[in-house]
Amino acid sequence: MRIITFGTYDLIHIGHINILEKCKNFKGEENTLIVGISSDEFSFFKKQKYPIYSQEQRKKILESLIFVDSVFYEESFEKKRDYILENKADVFIMGDDWEGKFDEFNDICKVVYLPRTPSISTTEIVEVIKQK
């Protein structure tokens, strides 16, 4: 199966690793995992701040992970349908914090929301670093 997922993936942490690994092994199979990372400009649009690592650095980090097969830049929410179709994805997986937000794509692929790793996020990591 061809699995697609999206994210910013700034300050890669165990939560990112867990969900990417779950995507790769979805339904107990060795799937092809395609990852869309938010471009720097799209990240700024979504969060009103730029990622700590540039899009090129984040892409290189993700490409180095054994369970990630390919990485591309996501430029906008509006292009998600195009990204799914261009990559011939069978399944679109996101964390359950996005539950229901991408159900419109069930007409072109299966949409799945997986549980996030509890008590970890890039925002929380940044706050801990600021406090130290």
Side-chain angles (χ1 to χ4, degrees), residues 1-6 9 13-35 62 65-69 91-97 110 112-120:
M1 265 188 297
R2 294 176 63 81
I3 310 291
I4 194 166
T5 191
F6 297 86
Y9 301 102
H13 55 68
I14 194 65
H16 293 131
I17 300 301
N18 288 343
I19 198 155
L20 291 169
E21 192 171 30
K22 287 177 187 176
C23 288
K24 179 69 172 182
N25 299 312
F26 183 68
K27 296 214 171 190
E29 298 178 24
E30 180 77 13
N31 301 298
T32 299
L33 178 56
I34 304 142
V35 181
L62 283 170
L65 298 175
I66 195 163
F67 36 82
V68 173
D69 296 294
V91 181
F92 170 25
I93 299 177
M94 291 294 286
D96 61 3
D97 53 325
K110 180 179 176 84
V112 175
Y113 303 97
L114 296 178
R116 288 175 50 117
T117 302
S119 302
I120 186 141

Side-chain angles (χ1 to χ4, degrees), residues 71-107:
V71 181
F72 67 93
Y73 297 122
E74 179 185 20
E75 302 291 336
S76 75
F77 286 120
E78 292 76 23
K79 293 183 180 178
K80 241 188 227 329
R81 180 173 294 275
D82 295 334
Y83 297 135
I84 294 166
L85 292 170
E86 287 166 12
N87 287 284
K88 298 178 175 70
D90 301 300
V91 181
F92 170 25
I93 299 177
M94 291 294 286
D96 61 3
D97 53 325
W98 291 94
E99 185 93 38
K101 295 203 170 91
F102 299 112
D103 290 350
E104 67 188 273
F105 302 119
N106 272 311
D107 65 331

Side-chain angles (χ1 to χ4, degrees), residues 7-10 37-51 53 55 58 74-75:
T8 303
Y9 301 102
D10 199 15
I37 63 165
S38 301
S39 67
D40 291 341
E41 291 305 318
F42 185 41
S43 295
F44 186 83
F45 171 77
K46 291 190 300 183
K47 302 177 181 187
Q48 281 63 63
K49 62 182 177 182
Y50 287 102
Y53 290 112
Q55 62 188 31
R58 292 180 287 122
E74 179 185 20
E75 302 291 336

